[in-house]
């Protein structure tokens, strides 16, 4: 019978040579299985003289433990190697593009309008909308642009009949809001407007935003403040803002609107209309000049 | 209004550069659109006097001139101009001169004759569009003098965009008053001394329609010299304003219009009959205008007539028959005030837009007519002689505009502007603008000048104060206001959620015209008659859309022709649907898709888009309402859609929209490549959302049973679902359809549907028994209703 140290040595060699988990298990069976070499030794202990038994038993157990430790270590090493091999085989090119639908996008006008709306919403302006096929009264007369007024010539209006037209500006929304709502009013009116004019720099349909602030104690200085704020936040730059009174005609004509004067007087807010209309004129220009589609 | 800076500075010199002046005008509300030089750049062009003229030996049309340019020896210059004459002074480009366009003058030979320069026309100097000869220079101009200096060409023209309310600035005087106000200088109106009558010749004037024409001033001037010429300075000023010189009579009226803002007219007195009548047109009236057009004026049109018939469209254009000619010696000058409302719109009606109508439409100072007549008389006499008669004035004072006295209060200024303006400043500003300001206990009483008819109320005055004081000096405040929340109904899904969903699902937003091609409309929505524009911009943008599809499909074909084969587009906006109750303008959300189901990519087989791909997109939208089950899909025909792939989407019996494959015939007509799928939904129905309600989750496990049933092809999946839900009752939590199979093992004309049933109870564990019972109940129902068999 082979001495224990040699047995251990050959077992260790077999463990080291085991190339996979199955081979390793065969080694385990060979030495520690029911009929394994070490198991056989344990069985034979009984045949030894009593005084040798204890010592021999201890030696066998130590050898068994050493063998189990070596088996476990080898098993862990083999498992790690197997996982490494698997992972290496599963490597992918992470720079390949992802699969599936790709997102679309918004029209630049929508993005801009949404941004303007969001900024004004932060100071309590709500969005007001109105029809695009408008009546002559709300598009012109209520804004004190009677038939044949020279301002109409600048509007290049699309007509359906004598009284129905495509709105040339978003201002009729103001009229509609004031028909419905008592002050205070804080609205912006974005939307499509139409002018019968088309060339490289003019689109017959374009977008405007205008605003309306009606309250008892608002002034032209407040309008300036709101516009200043808006422009700085819209462009996210500390702009030097100029206020040339360019759209004076709208301001003037609006302000004289008999319609709205009456309306506001009825609500006993004398003098409010001027701020209201100043507000409309200024906002209209300040805000719309940036986003009007190809129209200046 | 085109303003010569030189002319303006003659009147009032702001001591500022052109750019500064323009910026200050703009900031005061007179927007300077652009600044242009009065003449293009050229140099070394001097006055030349033709001292001798000989025929060219080898060219009939050329002549050889000896030209005195101030040097010891005259220059020899070959000239082809028809009007070249001995003694004439004309611009002479010397050797080394550079004319507009970079044209350099070098010594040259013309048909063998040496030429040492060039005699120039106005066109060659960039002073006119066309010329028919040399530009004659004044007889007293000194040979050798620089022509730029002589004509004072180093001038800038300010193009001022005036708003319609500022008719007062359609003359140099009005502009000068503005500049004076802006510059805080006192303004003195142009001094006009009356011209004493030399003869007592008059011509009667009758106002038949004094509301339209409350004032008409006329004057007879006899014996003007028909051969007189307009002086150079006046011709230059006219030219710089964009007007051609047409002889002293016309030039004077135009000049006074530019100077004071009063449009005038000169009639040939000897071609007038009886007297002037200002009246509305009568049915028999016909008039040949100066431009040769014959008009038959309608009853709304105001005419200047004599006893023989119409002479002129009042305030718009004169007639041919009474116009001044080269032979005119006796003149009748007109200087009238026409009410803006009587002129507005008339010029356009006759396809005319004249300097006169432009001014009268906007309004002319009703007190200006006499000054203008005196000024024109003086200018004409200076230029062409003649003997003036007395001023003839027909006036209806009660029809003249009233100059209001307006109350102005400091606290209103403060309230409107949000700032204080000192009393001294207020008074200075208003007085410089020509207003009469009287101090009262609580403020002022202000009478604006007659030229500022646009000022009628306190707010107008405050606006003037703000404008001249400077908008930049108004503080920038933040409004103080009462905070009030605005509603945000939970049962209203915001539009952005729908658009965002589409964007995330690969759709690109489009914004297309609201007016479309009627042909597209007819193809896509033939059953509705669209609203047609009376004046469309073009035939293919002539009717208002009743659907978003025409615009989207046009965008689709446009992009397909630009190598885009896969596209997903959406748009939201109003549709315009005429109905018996009037026009309905309602917002819709629509989409079109064509090409591959997914972008071409690795690892996935290419698959063309089909109905169910787009249906998933629409279902994602419907899900945003919180109750997708409220929508039903009904197979129904639509003229634009494939009859077998067309679904009407309904919610509680209301049609919400459509989804389908574009009809192959439509595809062909619209020239679309591949199968396009389209949808459109009414936003109001889509945005009406369910407010979420809390529901407990079951603590008990769920059971799944899969069944495969065989039914006839014609059985709709929706009907199967409905039956299962009805039979499954409370316990049935969900149903998945995970396979549809036809082929081996399934009889011809039938299909197999594989369904996963999820059952769960809130109060107990489901026993196998209960599950089996429920499933067999469902199967019994399916068998009963659809003759379904269980597929094993």
């Amino acid at each position: 019978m082979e001495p224990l140290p040699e047995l251990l040595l050959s077992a260790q060699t077999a463990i080291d040579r085991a190339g996979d988990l199955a081979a390793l298990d065969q080694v385990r069976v060979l030495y520690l299985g029911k009929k394994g070499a070490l198991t056989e030794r344990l069985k034979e202990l009984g045949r030894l003289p009593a005084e040798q038994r204890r010592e021999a038993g201890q030696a066998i157990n130590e050898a068994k433990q050493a063998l189990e430790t070596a088996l476990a270590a080898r098993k862990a090493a083999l498992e790690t190697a197997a996982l490494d091999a698997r992972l290496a085989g599963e490597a992918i090119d992470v720079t390949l593009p992802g699969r599936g639908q790709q997102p679309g996008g918004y029209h630049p006008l929508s993005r801009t309008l949404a941004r303007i709306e969001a900024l004004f919403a932060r100071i309590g302006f709500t969005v007001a909308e109105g029809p695009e096929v408008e009546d002559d009264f709300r598009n012109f007369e209520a804004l004190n642009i009677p038939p044949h007024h020279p301002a109409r010539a600048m509007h290049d209006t699309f007509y359906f009949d004598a009284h129905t037209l495509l709105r040339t500006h978003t201002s009729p929304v103001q009229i509609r809001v004031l028909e419905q709502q008592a002050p205070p009013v804080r609205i912006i009116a974005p939307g499509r407007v139409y002018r019968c004019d088309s060339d490289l720099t003019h689109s017959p349909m374009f977008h405007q935003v205008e605003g309306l602030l009606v309250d008892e104690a608002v002034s032209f200085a407040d309008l300036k403040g709101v516009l200043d704020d808006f422009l700085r936040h819209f462009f996210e730059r500390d702009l030097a803002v100029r206020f040339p009174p360019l759209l004076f005609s709208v301001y003037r004509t609006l302000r004289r609107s008999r319609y709205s004067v009456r309306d506001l007087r009825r609500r006993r807010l004398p003098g409010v209309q001027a701020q209201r209309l100043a507000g409309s004129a200024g906002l209209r220009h300040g805000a719309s000049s940036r986003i009007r589609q190809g129209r200046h | 209004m085109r303003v010569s800076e030189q002319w303006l500075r003659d009147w009032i010199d702001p001591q500022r550069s052109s750019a500064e002046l323009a910026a200050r005008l703009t900031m005061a509300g007179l927007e300077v659109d652009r600044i242009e030089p009065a003449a293009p750049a050229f140099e070394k062009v001097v006055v030349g006097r033709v001292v001798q003229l000989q025929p060219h030996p080898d060219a009939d049309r050329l002549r050889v001139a000896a030209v005195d340019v101030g040097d010891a020896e005259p220059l020899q210059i070959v000239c082809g101009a028809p009007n070249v004459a001995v003694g004439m002074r004309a611009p002479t480009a010397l050797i080394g001169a550079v004319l507009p366009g970079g044209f350099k003058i070098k010594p040259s030979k013309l048909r063998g004759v040496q030429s040492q320069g060039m005699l120039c026309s106005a066109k060659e100097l960039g002073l006119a569009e066309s010329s028919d000869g040399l530009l004659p220079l004044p007889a007293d101009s000194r040979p050798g003098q620089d022509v730029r200096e002589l004509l004072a060409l180093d001038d800038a023209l300010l193009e001022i965009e005036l708003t319609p309310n500022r008719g007062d600035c359609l003359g140099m005087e009005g502009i000068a008053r503005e500049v004076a106000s802006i510059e805080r200088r006192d303004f003195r109106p142009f001094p006009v001394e009356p011209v004493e009558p030399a003869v007592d010749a008059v011509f009667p004037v009758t106002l038949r329609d004094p509301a339209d024409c409350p004032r008409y001033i006329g004057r007879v001037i006899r014996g003007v010299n028909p051969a007189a010429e307009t002086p150079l300075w006046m011709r230059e000023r006219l030219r710089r304003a964009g007007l051609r010189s047409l002889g002293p009579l016309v030039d004077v009226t135009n000049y006074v219009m530019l100077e004071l803002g009063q449009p005038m007219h000169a009639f040939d007195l000897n071609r007038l009959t009886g007297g002037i009548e200002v009246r509305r047109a009568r049915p028999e009236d016909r008039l040949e205008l100066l431009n040769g057009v014959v008009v038959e004026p309608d009853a709304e049109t105001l005419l200047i007539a004599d006893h023989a018939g119409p002479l002129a469209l009042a305030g718009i254009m004169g007639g041919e028959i009474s116009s001044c000619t080269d032979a005119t010696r006796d003149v009748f000058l007109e200087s009238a005030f026409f009410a803006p409302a009587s002129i507005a719109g008339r010029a356009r009606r006759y396809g005319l837009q004249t300097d006169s109508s432009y001014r009268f439409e906007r309004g002319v100072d009703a007190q200006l007519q006499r000054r203008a007549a005196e000024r024109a008389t003086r200018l004409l006499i200076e230029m062409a002689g003649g003997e003036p008669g007395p001023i003839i004035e027909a006036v209806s004072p009660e029809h003249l505009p009233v100059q209001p006295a307006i109350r102005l209060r400091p606290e209103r200024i403060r309230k409107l502007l949000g700032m204080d303006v000192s009393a001294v400043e207020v008074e200075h500003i208003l007085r410089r603008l020509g207003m009469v300001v009287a101090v009262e206990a609580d403020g002022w009483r202000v009478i604006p000048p007659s030229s500022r008819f646009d000022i009628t109320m306190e707010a107008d005055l405050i606006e003037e104060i703000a404008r001249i004081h400077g908008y930049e000096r108004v503080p920038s405040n933040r409004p103080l206001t009462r905070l009030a929340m605005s509603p945000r109904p939970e049962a209203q899904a915001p539009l952005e959620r729908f658009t965002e969903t589409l964007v995330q699902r690969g759709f690109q937003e489009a914004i297309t015209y609201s007016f479309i091609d009627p042909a597209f409309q007819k193809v896509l929505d033939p059953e509705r008659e669209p609203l047609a524009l009376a004046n469309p911009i073009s035939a293919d943008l002539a009717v208002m859309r009743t659907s978003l599809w025409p615009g989207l499909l046009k965008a689709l074909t446009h992009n397909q022709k630009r190598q885009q084969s896969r596209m997903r587009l959406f748009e939201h906006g109003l549709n315009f649907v005429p109905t018996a109750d009037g026009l309905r303008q309602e917002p819709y959300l629509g989409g079109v898709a064509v090409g591959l189901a997914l972008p071409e990519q690795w690892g996935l087989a290419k698959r063309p888009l089909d109905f169910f791909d787009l249906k998933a997109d629409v279902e994602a939208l419907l899900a945003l309402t919180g109750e997708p089950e409220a929508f039903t899909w009904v197979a129904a025909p639509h003229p634009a859609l494939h009859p077998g792939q067309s679904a009407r989407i309904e919610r509680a019996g209301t049609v919400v929209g459509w989804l389908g494959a574009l009809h192959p015939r439509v595809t062909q007509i619209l020239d679309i490549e591949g199968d396009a799928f389209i949808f459109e939904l009414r936003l109001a129905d889509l945005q009406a959302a369910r407010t979420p309600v809390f529901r407990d989750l079951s603590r008990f496990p769920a059971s799944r049973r899969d069944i495969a049933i065989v039914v006839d092809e014609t059985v709709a999946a929706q009907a199967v679902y409905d039956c299962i839900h009805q039979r499954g009752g409370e316990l049935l939590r969900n149903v998945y359809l995970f396979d549809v199979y036809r082929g081996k093992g399934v009889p011809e004309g039938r299909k197999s549907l594989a369904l996963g049933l999820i059952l769960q109870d809130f109060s107990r564990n489901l026993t196998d028994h209960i599950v089996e019972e429920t499933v067999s109940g469902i199967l019994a129902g399916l068998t009963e209703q659809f003759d379904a068999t269980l597929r094993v």
Side-chain angles (χ1 to χ4, degrees):
Chain A
M1 200 169 63
E2 214 178 343
L4 206 50
E6 278 74 16
L7 185 75
L8 257 180
L9 200 66
S10 62
Q12 187 65 54
T13 308
I15 286 169
D16 290 345
R17 283 190 185 152
D20 54 31
L21 289 173
L24 186 66
D25 200 52
Q26 276 176 15
V27 175
R28 185 188 61 79
V29 172
L30 200 61
Y31 291 91
L32 299 175
K34 270 185 195 164
K35 290 183 178 168
L38 268 178
T39 319
E40 291 299 324
R41 293 285 174 100
L42 276 173
K43 284 180 192 165
E44 283 164 15
L45 268 182
R47 282 187 235 153
L48 285 178
E51 64 275 13
Q52 290 176 19
R53 236 181 262 164
R54 188 182 144 83
E55 199 181 332
Q58 201 176 343
I60 293 168
N61 272 328
E62 279 170 9
K64 194 182 167 189
Q65 269 176 19
L67 211 54
E68 280 171 345
T69 308
L71 278 168
R74 182 65 184 155
K75 189 181 177 206
L78 284 174
E79 278 173 350
T80 304
L83 182 62
D84 286 348
R86 199 188 105 203
L87 292 179
E90 287 172 358
I92 56 167
D93 176 0
V94 296
T95 64
L96 281 171
R99 269 194 296 266
Q101 194 68 261
Q102 286 156 9
Y106 287 101
H107 194 285
L109 280 169
S110 286
R111 291 182 59 112
T112 309
L113 286 178
R115 187 166 157 68
I116 293 170
E117 289 168 20
L119 286 170
F120 277 100
R122 294 191 166 211
I123 51 168
F125 281 73
T126 52
V127 172
E129 287 174 327
E132 290 165 19
V133 174
E134 231 342 323
D135 52 59
D136 186 272
F137 175 74
R138 291 191 181 89
N139 194 74
F140 286 126
E141 285 190 52
L143 304 167
N144 204 29
I145 310 177
H148 305 310
H149 190 280
R152 289 204 181 194
M154 311 196 303
H155 278 245
D156 300 315
T157 313
F158 282 112
Y159 281 95
F160 298 99
D161 56 45
H163 308 290
T164 321
L165 46 80
L166 276 173
R167 68 178 183 190
T168 59
H169 45 194
T170 45
S171 306
V173 177
Q174 297 187 14
I175 302 299
R176 288 180 178 274
V177 168
L178 289 171
E179 283 170 345
Q180 301 288 330
Q181 189 185 336
V185 172
R186 276 193 302 274
I187 56 144
I188 60 167
R192 297 177 175 212
V193 298
Y194 306 85
R195 307 254 173 117
C196 190
D197 192 2
S198 179
D199 58 36
L200 274 180
T201 57
H202 292 81
S203 165
M205 180 182 99
F206 57 102
H207 287 69
Q208 273 190 352
V209 186
E210 68 182 69
L212 175 64
L213 172 58
V214 189
D215 210 336
E216 283 183 65
V218 290
S219 70
F220 189 62
D222 295 319
L223 166 70
K224 250 186 104 168
V226 170
L227 287 175
D228 252 332
D229 245 9
F230 165 69
L231 292 170
R232 279 168 221 269
H233 286 102
F234 183 83
F235 291 106
E236 296 182 273
R237 253 184 293 159
D238 204 12
L239 296 168
V241 182
R242 286 197 318 152
F243 287 88
L246 298 186
L247 238 84
F248 243 46
S249 57
V250 172
Y251 171 30
R252 277 176 178 282
T253 51
L254 275 173
R255 186 180 45 198
R256 292 246 202 85
S257 155
R258 261 171 293 148
Y259 170 83
S260 45
V261 170
R262 177 170 20 96
D263 186 60
L264 288 155
R265 281 194 185 140
R266 203 179 61 225
R267 300 188 200 286
R268 293 171 185 231
L269 282 170
V272 166
Q273 79 275 15
Q275 291 93 317
R276 168 176 88 72
L277 299 157
S280 73
L283 275 190
R284 191 176 124 95
H285 204 74
S288 68
S289 62
R290 294 304 305 182
I291 56 164
R292 285 161 82 174
Q293 230 179 2
R295 191 171 264 278
H296 291 285
Chain B
M1 173 79 182
R2 187 137 51 123
V3 173
S4 153
E5 201 186 327
Q6 218 170 59
W7 190 356
L8 177 66
R9 283 180 199 272
D10 276 359
W11 208 314
I12 179 163
D13 190 351
Q15 308 282 336
R16 291 179 194 281
S17 71
S18 308
E20 274 175 347
L21 173 64
R24 287 175 72 90
L25 281 168
T26 297
M27 290 307 290
L30 305 182
E31 184 186 7
V32 177
D33 196 39
R34 57 181 185 276
I35 308 177
E36 286 175 342
F42 60 80
E43 56 182 32
K44 292 192 83 172
V45 180
V46 300
V47 177
R49 184 171 62 96
V50 180
V51 289
Q52 203 181 23
L53 210 50
Q54 287 176 337
H56 189 288
D58 290 323
D60 289 348
R61 296 227 304 251
L62 295 181
R63 276 179 285 180
V64 182
V67 181
D68 170 14
V69 292
D71 296 338
E73 289 295 316
L75 301 174
Q76 175 175 301
I77 295 176
V78 178
C79 176
N83 65 337
V84 63
V86 172
M88 175 189 199
R89 285 162 168 80
T92 308
L94 303 175
I95 300 298
V98 182
L99 297 188
F103 179 52
K104 290 197 179 96
I105 301 298
K106 297 172 199 155
S108 59
K109 273 190 177 169
L110 281 142
R111 294 275 183 109
V113 177
Q114 190 73 32
S115 186
Q116 297 168 290
M118 182 172 129
L119 293 168
C120 304
S121 67
K123 182 175 183 243
E124 282 154 346
L125 296 180
L127 301 179
E129 291 291 312
S130 64
S131 301
D132 43 15
L134 303 180
L135 172 65
L137 297 177
D140 59 354
S141 51
R142 178 176 55 78
Q145 188 185 0
D146 191 307
V147 164
R148 289 198 80 88
E149 185 192 299
L150 175 75
L151 299 180
L153 289 179
D154 293 320
D155 182 16
L157 303 179
L158 308 181
E159 188 69 51
I160 301 181
E161 292 272 329
L162 288 169
T163 51
N165 58 307
R166 292 308 300 271
D168 65 298
C169 285
L170 290 168
M172 286 300 297
E173 187 171 56
I175 302 276
R177 180 170 39 226
E178 280 293 304
V179 171
S181 289
I182 299 165
E183 296 294 340
R184 291 161 194 276
R185 299 242 303 261
D186 287 335
F187 173 72
R188 275 180 301 278
F190 192 81
V192 176
E193 293 297 320
V195 182
E196 285 303 315
V199 292
D200 55 5
V202 291
F203 194 71
V205 175
T206 315
L207 304 181
R208 296 265 179 238
D209 198 340
D212 284 353
C213 175
R215 191 199 303 279
Y216 190 105
I217 285 190
R219 183 169 226 171
V220 170
I221 302 174
R222 287 198 186 280
V224 299
N225 172 13
E229 286 196 352
T230 305
L232 184 67
W233 63 267
M234 185 181 282
R235 276 192 279 143
E236 265 302 298
R237 284 186 172 175
L238 291 172
R239 180 185 72 78
R240 288 175 206 189
L243 296 175
R244 283 202 310 146
S245 173
L246 296 166
L249 290 171
V250 176
D251 288 354
V252 159
T253 58
N254 279 338
Y255 184 80
V256 172
M257 176 181 77
L258 294 178
E259 185 178 62
L260 301 178
Q262 171 69 51
M264 298 182 70
H265 190 66
F267 295 97
D268 186 330
L269 181 68
N270 297 324
R271 296 163 91 178
L272 304 183
T273 312
I276 294 286
E277 276 192 356
V278 187
R279 60 165 173 85
R280 296 289 187 99
R282 295 172 190 145
E284 69 274 14
D285 285 333
R286 278 177 99 250
L287 175 62
E288 185 183 355
L289 298 173
L290 274 172
N291 61 1
V293 174
V294 177
V295 292
E296 290 180 15
D298 60 32
E300 294 238 293
T301 304
L302 194 65
L303 295 182
I304 310 300
D306 65 5
H307 295 175
L311 303 172
L313 289 181
I316 301 173
M317 191 180 273
E320 181 59 37
I321 190 166
S322 57
S323 65
C324 293
T325 64
D326 293 347
T328 301
R329 299 189 60 89
D330 300 333
V331 188
F332 180 76
L333 275 182
E334 166 195 296
S335 175
F337 173 73
F338 303 111
S342 69
I343 305 297
R346 309 300 194 282
R348 241 191 305 164
R349 191 174 304 170
Y350 299 104
L352 302 166
Q353 171 77 276
T354 63
D355 289 318
S356 173
S357 71
Y358 188 79
R359 284 170 172 80
F360 280 121
E361 280 185 350
R362 281 158 178 74
V364 166
D365 179 354
Q367 303 295 333
L368 183 60
Q369 290 67 43
R370 184 177 284 266
R371 275 179 76 217
E374 296 284 16
R375 175 70 174 147
T377 308
R378 185 168 297 279
L379 285 169
L380 188 60
I381 290 169
E382 280 172 9
M383 286 158 53
E387 294 175 315
I391 290 272
I392 308 152
E393 180 170 19
V395 61
S396 170
E398 74 264 34
H399 291 104
L400 284 171
V402 199
Q403 282 166 258
I406 306 164
R407 206 168 144 217
L408 176 63
R409 294 156 294 175
E411 74 271 14
R412 293 294 303 149
I413 301 178
R414 188 182 316 121
K415 198 169 180 209
L416 270 175
L417 298 183
M419 71 183 295
D420 281 315
V421 183
S422 76
V424 174
E425 170 81 348
V426 167
E427 290 171 22
H428 275 175
I429 289 172
L430 296 178
R431 287 197 175 118
R432 283 196 191 100
L433 287 168
M435 310 205 189
V436 177
V437 183
V439 180
E440 294 196 332
D442 60 346
W444 301 273
R445 194 156 292 271
V446 182
I447 302 172
S450 55
S451 59
R452 293 301 305 274
F453 43 82
D454 58 318
I455 292 175
T456 59
M457 56 198 264
E458 191 175 27
D460 295 329
L461 294 173
I462 297 172
E463 179 189 293
E464 289 297 300
I465 293 165
R467 192 170 69 82
I468 301 297
H469 189 65
Y471 274 21
E472 71 281 1
R473 288 163 78 180
V474 176
S476 187
N477 285 346
R478 293 196 163 116
L480 284 173
T481 185
R482 258 180 282 257
L483 292 175
M485 280 188 196
S486 45
R488 191 175 168 88
E490 198 172 2
Q492 178 77 10
L495 173 65
E496 300 79 65
R497 294 202 65 203
F498 297 95
T499 55
E500 184 61 28
T501 298
L502 287 173
V503 166
Q504 291 311 324
R505 297 178 75 94
F507 283 83
Q508 172 67 46
E509 188 186 18
I511 293 180
T512 69
Y513 286 142
S514 307
F515 21 64
I516 54 164
D517 190 337
F520 268 56
Q521 168 70 27
K522 241 193 178 71
V523 169
L524 289 162
D525 197 5
E527 282 155 24
R528 291 192 286 200
E529 191 56 42
L531 181 64
L533 282 162
N535 55 336
I537 200 115
S538 62
D540 63 348
L541 298 173
V543 298
M544 299 305 290
R545 65 187 184 192
T546 58
S547 158
L548 299 171
W549 288 343
L552 285 169
L553 289 169
K554 194 175 174 187
L556 188 95
T557 50
H558 181 88
N559 282 283
Q560 275 192 337
K561 290 187 174 115
R562 282 156 187 79
Q563 300 81 45
Q564 300 298 311
S565 58
R566 177 179 188 269
M567 252 177 294
R568 295 159 81 76
L569 300 175
F570 79 94
E571 179 170 14
H572 65 88
L574 298 182
N575 283 339
F576 305 86
V577 181
T579 70
D581 310 325
L583 182 72
R584 283 224 315 260
Q585 305 184 53
E586 289 179 312
Y588 278 77
L589 176 63
V592 298
V594 72
L596 296 176
L598 289 166
E600 198 175 339
Q601 54 194 286
W602 70 281
L604 282 178
K606 281 199 231 174
R607 177 174 70 77
L609 182 82
D610 69 20
F611 180 92
F612 299 103
D613 292 311
L614 203 61
K615 183 172 179 181
D617 295 321
V618 171
E619 283 173 332
L621 297 176
L622 303 185
L624 296 173
T625 61
E627 47 175 7
E629 68 279 3
F631 294 85
T632 47
W633 296 75
V634 184
H638 185 288
L641 300 176
H642 186 304
Q645 298 184 21
S646 160
R648 190 171 68 218
I649 305 160
E650 296 180 357
R651 184 181 197 175
T654 310
V655 178
V656 174
W658 291 86
L659 164 68
L662 196 61
H663 197 294
R665 204 184 53 241
V666 178
T667 308
Q668 194 190 357
I669 295 171
L670 301 186
D671 198 17
I672 292 169
E673 269 181 54
D675 297 329
F677 293 85
I678 60 182
F679 72 87
E680 183 172 52
L681 302 161
R682 191 166 160 259
L683 265 172
D685 296 312
L686 206 54
Q687 289 185 267
R690 189 180 68 107
T691 306
V693 177
F694 174 76
R695 239 174 99 181
D696 207 353
L697 292 174
S698 174
R699 288 178 289 115
F700 299 96
S703 295
R704 171 168 175 160
R705 287 290 184 279
D706 290 352
I707 57 170
I709 56 165
V710 177
V711 293
D712 282 350
E713 274 290 359
T714 53
V715 175
Q718 184 70 52
V720 172
Y721 268 72
D722 291 346
C723 174
I724 292 174
H725 275 290
Q726 187 215 329
R727 292 291 179 138
E730 286 286 291
L731 292 184
L732 182 73
R733 302 303 302 269
N734 219 334
V735 184
Y736 303 106
L737 176 73
F738 60 87
D739 193 31
V740 180
Y741 173 78
R742 302 169 179 88
K744 204 179 159 201
V746 175
E748 190 71 15
R750 310 238 316 155
K751 63 188 172 187
S752 159
L753 304 174
L755 296 145
L757 310 175
I758 311 293
L759 297 117
Q760 192 179 32
D761 198 340
F762 271 96
S763 57
R764 58 190 166 148
N765 272 317
L766 287 178
T767 60
D768 280 353
H769 177 68
I770 294 172
V771 172
E772 294 312 327
E773 207 176 71
T774 311
V775 172
S776 36
I778 290 170
L779 283 171
L782 291 170
T783 309
E784 231 170 77
Q785 210 173 328
F786 307 113
D787 188 25
T789 53
L790 201 58
R791 182 167 170 244
V792 193

